Amino acid sequence: MKKPSSKIRDEIAKLQEQLKAAETREAERIGRIALKAGLGEIEIDESELQAAFEDLAKRFRGGKAATNGGKRGGGAAESNASSTQDASGAAAGGTAEA
């Protein structure tokens, strides 16, 4: 039995709200940790901070962190830039935007 498109749209809307709430929780958690570590007081370019967070994530996922001074090209980093940027924004400013 096929679902009507209105029911599918409702399910999508509910999932989008769940995703937004989950991203907000994650950004706030990372932001709190970053502030406790003193990142809120450091003058650093947002792209450099994002690169540092990507290296940290890679380290904890078992990969080898890049050693190129924090500058990144395109590629895989752009695919998760939104969630990483939320986290780095929370770290830099102390608030989450999700």
Side-chain angles (χ1 to χ4, degrees):
M1 176 182 239
K2 293 184 180 182
K3 290 183 184 179
S5 60
S6 61
K7 184 162 180 107
I8 294 171
R9 278 191 209 92
D10 290 342
E11 290 177 10
I12 290 171
K14 287 178 187 176
L15 289 172
Q16 286 174 332
E17 290 202 17
Q18 289 177 8
L19 177 60
K20 185 177 179 180
E23 288 175 339
T24 299
R25 282 191 310 272
E26 291 166 359
E28 289 173 347
R29 175 180 170 259
I30 291 169
R32 281 191 303 272
I33 294 167
L35 289 173
K36 286 179 184 177
L39 288 178
E41 301 167 9
I42 297 174
E43 292 286 328
I44 186 170
D45 182 61
E46 194 168 314
S47 63
E48 290 182 57
L49 185 59
Q50 180 174 341
F53 273 118
E54 290 168 358
D55 288 343
L56 183 65
K58 193 174 195 178
R59 176 180 154 207
F60 281 97
R61 287 187 182 124
K64 186 175 180 183
T67 58
N68 59 359
K71 298 295 180 188
R72 298 264 180 187
E78 290 182 10
S79 66
N80 67 356
S82 176
S83 61
T84 306
Q85 188 170 6
D86 287 345
S88 63
T95 61
E97 292 180 15

